[in-house]
Amino acid sequence: MSALENNVRLLTDEVTNLKKNQSNNDKKMTDLARHNQELSQRLISLENTCIYSAITTEKMATQNSRLNKLEHDVNGTVLLVWTLVVNSEKDRNETSQLDILVSVLQDDLLRVNLSVMEDNSVLEKINSSFEMFKNENNLKIQKVADQDKNTNTRINNLISDIRNGNLVTHNIVNSISNLESNIREIRNHVGFTAGATTSNVWSGSTLVFNRLIYSNGGGYSTYSGVFTSPVTGTFVFYVAVISDSNVDLYLDIVLNGVSKVRTMSYSTSGSHSYQTGTNLAILHLSVGDRVWVRRHNGGAYATHSDAPLVTFSGFRL
């Protein structure tokens, strides 16, 4: 019986460790208690049978002691198997090992019963009860395994959904970032085109383009004729002028009072009238820098009633 006692001690230690995970198993423990009660009744019936057998009093006492010990072992085994049914993947692996120990315990129980009883029919009933109990446990273990498999599938699907949601969120964040960048670019875009509609729109030597044809970001004043940069950046400025009849006209693009480029509309008598002068300048401006068109020399410029012939344009690169 030393091997059986060692097995029982091992099982008792396993039960002690696994009882820590029993907090959520009250309902299943109730069912286990019912099965345990049925098994106890079978053992009581077996014990009654042994009492009425033709065995000596000393041998009967030994039988009773062994049967009580076996009843305790069976109860511990049943509790252990049911505990493992509701545990995690690790517990289910241990269940397979404990099934082997249960089988060993069954063999030991059969050998003990054969040594103390000669009633083969009683042994067959006990063995049948164990087989039925083992089959029921296997069915329940398989059911729990199937439920865990479905749970793992749902968890994997949820993880996939979360990952897809993160991808969508990442794309949305990128779209928002690009939109914000575009908005900043639009806000930093500055440009204008202005035209002079009369031939006497001068403020000192500054040509005032009194009609604003296009403006984004502000900066050009139709009252002073000066463009004041609202942002820092590189700008392109362009001026086009047509001198009136045979008049010569020279215009400068000026940055903060310093001439940068000059146009020339040089006319002579006869067919060389209404000459065109154009020029372009690329200038780097800081916030507050001022650019305008200044008369270097000459007289009037040509006008038209439908649209300006003389224009001044600027835009940020």
Side-chain angles (χ1 to χ4, degrees), residues 183-190 216 231 316:
I183 290 174
R184 286 193 299 269
E185 189 66 25
I186 291 172
R187 288 176 177 174
N188 289 332
H189 173 69
V190 178
N216 186 76
V231 295
R316 181 177 182 269

Side-chain angles (χ1 to χ4, degrees), residues 172-183:
I172 291 174
V173 170
N174 286 338
S175 298
I176 293 174
S177 178
N178 292 333
L179 181 59
E180 290 176 345
S181 178
N182 292 335
I183 290 174

Side-chain angles (χ1 to χ4, degrees), residues 292-307:
W292 67 91
V293 175
R294 180 169 63 189
R295 177 169 51 188
H296 174 72
N297 191 18
Y301 52 84
T303 61
H304 196 279
S305 60
D306 293 336

Side-chain angles (χ1 to χ4, degrees), residues 214-242:
Y214 171 82
S215 177
N216 186 76
Y220 184 78
S221 170
T222 57
Y223 298 100
S224 66
V226 176
F227 171 77
T228 303
S229 179
V231 295
T232 297
T234 301
F235 286 78
V236 175
F237 293 97
Y238 179 81
V239 62
V241 62
I242 299 176

